[in-house]
Amino acid sequence: MKRLAHLIRFNPDENKAKPNPNLPSGYTYFLQLVAHDLVHSAISTSLGDGQTAGLSNVRNAPLRLETVYGGGPTECPHAYEAAPVAFRSKLRLGNSRIDQNDQDHRGPIKDIARGTTSTAAELARKASYPEALIADPRNDSHAIISQILVLFHELHNCIVDELGNLPRMDNPFADAQRLFTTARTACVLIYRDLIRQDLLPRILHEDVWRAYNTDQKPFPWRVGGEWRAPLEFTNGFFRFGHSMIRPIYRFNSGPGNAFTIEQILARTSDKSPADVPLETAWLVNWDLFFSSDPHAGNVSIRIGPWSQVGIGEEVPGEGDLIARDLLSSIAIQPWSIGPLVDRLRTTHGALLDKSELLAGQIGSRPWAVRISEWLTKRSDATFGSFNKLSPREIETLAKDPPIPLFVRFEAGLDSGNQGERLGILGSIVVADVICGVLQSDRLLPDNPAGGLQSELASLSAATLGNTGSGQANIFAFLADIEGPERKISLMTVRRFLNDRQRVTQA
């Protein structure tokens, strides 16, 4: 697997240099946040020698922003701002810095909250903040995702502030709890609409997206009444985002404010406590991460069996990120691609027949020839005569490819996408899991069909209940969170928050 990972990393395929205007780089890291919200396990599968005992996913309420809220203020108080009453209703935020000499943290925008257990004397000497005060520590794994997390903290707190005039009860604790629950539900509705309206149409093959929006029914993925993400998805298909990582990102318009992926991964409370809170040079201008113009912003790398970065030996014995993905997908003992495709022919046959890699009868393996040809050519080009993949190894990989290899290969070299989005099979698996959650996991007592604003109006009615406040929509202020034609994106959310902050500061 390490030689295959080396081939993926260093093969000279001309497509690896092509930018992907369909997926600006902001989506690479929004995908990572979504992955954290779907999956949270405690052990490394790539070092497990095939053992899955003890492997569990603690996310059984998926896509409810548990990666932001954790278990809530009672179970996860460090992630929440202290409040006059015992129940904390707002998420914690910290200040950024102007530069490394700014010990008063007077930066222009917010960072995640960071803390220390040092004494005052130690803090004055070391000026380091090794603790990220957030619900899911993975959201401080680098300096981009931590700032995406800031956006959701700010959104929640903005909603709490706007709902501060909710009708009161006689119990301040109950009032704070109801305020938190209402704001959180509104945030989750917005987040799910971002996934439904902005993310999925970009990453899914157009035919698959169209099918799941009409008559294709997703599998419920429930075991014993509880939701469970299939391991083939968590440890295989949804790792496709790793192929989109750029080697360098420009954070803002300041001179020299472009950083390598290694520098970005090191800018965390855990790895460089003396370099946080983030300085002005590290503060993201989201216009650069959500622009489809490769000359103006950071568009991602096309999805395919190639990579511009390896992200090195962070875990001894596992190799780089590509090798870890391959090893992890094998360690869980998943369905092989062949039996999985055979199983799907009865339910998704019309979609599979749209792909030259997948069209055929049960038992056929139409992808094998194409993958074999590509591996042979790229192995020769990558390794030369030394250490290249043997014909037997290529035959085995072509007939039964590891899931991360196949999902990359079909995205980049089949289905007419040219790596701008997933191929047919990858799209089916991703759509089945995510659309299954969105369709079956209800957040509201009714199921309004008019989009986000109808959902928020329904939440308003459920919140007001018997308070005697009539039919006033307490979420009317969120009408501007969508852009033209009622389309929402992370950029419309960011601009909404910027506008609200300007009004507050005026």
Side-chain angles (χ1 to χ4, degrees):
M1 284 302 107
K2 289 185 179 179
R3 280 192 296 143
L4 178 58
H6 184 88
L7 185 152
I8 291 172
R9 169 67 182 91
F10 292 105
N11 81 80
D13 195 303
E14 61 276 8
N15 292 293
K16 70 190 297 181
K18 295 178 181 178
N20 185 352
N22 177 56
L23 281 169
S25 282
Y27 293 98
T28 308
Y29 301 103
F30 184 41
L31 273 167
Q32 186 178 11
L33 186 85
V34 172
H36 292 172
D37 205 32
L38 285 165
V39 184
H40 196 182
S41 56
I43 66 173
S44 171
T45 52
S46 52
L47 279 180
D49 295 325
Q51 300 299 313
T52 57
L55 174 64
S56 63
N57 177 19
V58 300
R59 297 277 189 254
N60 55 22
L63 300 183
R64 291 194 174 204
L65 284 178
E66 285 189 352
T67 190
V68 173
Y69 293 103
T74 303
E75 292 186 18
C76 198
H78 66 274
Y80 292 83
E81 190 178 296
V85 297
F87 192 91
R88 303 180 175 199
S89 60
K90 297 180 76 170
L91 287 159
R92 197 188 291 269
L93 284 164
N95 294 321
S96 59
R97 298 185 295 171
I98 296 173
D99 53 37
Q100 62 181 352
N101 298 316
D102 176 16
Q103 297 307 313
D104 294 324
H105 303 173
R106 295 177 288 109
I109 61 177
K110 294 294 184 180
D111 187 12
I112 61 171
R114 305 176 191 270
T116 179
T117 57
S118 300
T119 65
E122 289 172 333
L123 181 57
R125 184 172 67 254
K126 296 181 180 178
S128 64
Y129 297 85
E131 308 298 334
L133 303 177
I134 57 179
D136 186 340
R138 297 175 299 172
N139 292 331
D140 187 36
S141 59
H142 56 77
I144 301 174
I145 196 170
S146 64
Q147 295 186 71
I148 287 183
L149 180 65
V150 166
L151 183 146
F152 283 97
H153 280 219
E154 289 184 330
L155 176 61
H156 172 87
N157 290 352
C158 172
I159 295 173
V160 168
D161 288 340
E162 292 287 345
L163 297 182
N165 294 323
L166 275 178
R168 307 276 179 177
M169 303 178 192
D170 294 331
N171 185 333
F173 186 93
D175 287 339
Q177 187 171 5
R178 184 167 68 117
L179 178 60
F180 167 77
T181 302
T182 303
R184 175 176 179 168
T185 305
C187 271
V188 173
L189 289 173
I190 293 167
Y191 163 67
R192 288 187 170 189
D193 210 52
L194 283 167
I195 293 172
R196 185 185 299 111
Q197 300 297 333
D198 192 27
L199 182 64
L200 290 180
R202 290 178 179 271
I203 65 172
L204 298 182
H205 190 284
E206 290 177 340
D207 290 328
V208 176
W209 171 240
R210 192 177 303 112
Y212 275 84
N213 271 293
T214 51
D215 56 355
Q216 186 67 56
K217 302 300 181 186
F219 188 75
W221 297 111
R222 291 191 174 274
V223 178
E226 290 189 350
W227 180 85
R228 287 289 183 266
L231 293 175
E232 290 80 6
F233 170 84
T234 61
N235 291 65
F237 286 97
F238 212 54
R239 302 292 180 96
F240 75 91
H242 291 161
S243 69
M244 297 160 54
I245 299 172
R246 293 168 56 94
I248 296 174
Y249 293 88
R250 187 158 60 94
F251 271 46
N252 54 59
S253 58
N257 294 346
F259 305 103
T260 66
I261 188 63
E262 290 78 14
Q263 290 175 303
I264 293 165
L265 288 166
R267 212 72 171 191
T268 70
S269 281
D270 182 50
K271 294 178 182 175
S272 52
D275 292 326
V276 295
L278 297 177
E279 304 159 18
T280 300
W282 284 86
L283 300 178
V284 164
N285 175 355
W286 290 116
D287 287 330
L288 299 179
F289 280 78
F290 288 97
S291 170
S292 59
D293 182 354
H295 302 291
N298 301 301
V299 298
S300 66
I301 306 305
R302 289 175 186 254
I303 308 165
W306 48 71
S307 180
Q308 289 197 14
V309 297
I311 306 182
E313 288 252 351
E314 297 177 10
V315 182
E318 290 195 18
D320 65 15
L321 183 64
I322 304 167
R324 294 199 299 277
D325 285 347
L326 292 167
L327 291 168
S328 177
S329 73
I330 294 169
I332 61 167
Q333 303 173 19
W335 278 58
S336 296
I337 293 294
L340 177 60
V341 170
D342 288 344
R343 170 65 179 81
L344 290 172
R345 289 200 192 281
T346 59
T347 55
H348 297 73
L351 287 172
L352 297 176
D353 286 342
K354 294 178 181 292
S355 165
E356 63 182 70
L357 288 183
L358 301 169
Q361 303 299 315
I362 290 178
S364 65
R365 303 293 181 258
W367 56 81
V369 172
R370 286 277 307 278
I371 294 180
S372 177
E373 291 173 349
W374 186 87
L375 284 173
T376 300
K377 180 179 179 181
R378 295 307 171 192
S379 181
D380 289 342
T382 304
F383 296 106
S385 59
F386 176 74
N387 209 31
K388 68 180 182 179
L389 297 173
S390 70
R392 183 174 180 179
E393 288 172 325
I394 289 173
E395 180 183 8
T396 299
L397 288 169
K399 288 182 178 178
D400 187 15
I403 292 173
L405 172 63
F406 186 87
V407 72
R408 284 170 172 247
F409 189 89
E410 71 154 353
L413 299 173
D414 184 45
S415 305
N417 287 327
Q418 299 182 319
E420 290 194 2
R421 59 185 72 231
L422 288 169
I424 293 286
L425 182 60
S427 293
I428 288 172
V429 174
V430 171
D432 213 67
V433 172
I434 295 181
C435 292
V437 173
L438 297 178
Q439 292 180 23
S440 64
D441 183 39
R442 293 175 55 179
L443 298 172
L444 301 169
D446 57 358
N447 192 22
L452 176 61
Q453 296 305 321
S454 294
E455 292 176 334
L456 291 170
S458 176
L459 175 60
S460 174
T463 302
L464 293 175
N466 298 321
T467 61
S469 299
Q471 296 301 312
N473 183 355
I474 59 176
F475 296 109
F477 68 95
L478 287 170
D480 294 335
I481 205 166
E482 297 173 302
E485 300 179 2
R486 297 182 69 178
K487 295 289 186 181
I488 195 169
S489 69
L490 283 166
M491 282 309 302
T492 67
V493 174
R494 180 68 268 170
R495 288 166 186 153
F496 167 82
L497 291 171
N498 290 343
D499 290 343
R500 305 301 295 189
Q501 289 165 2
R502 279 192 290 268
V503 170
T504 301
Q505 294 167 2

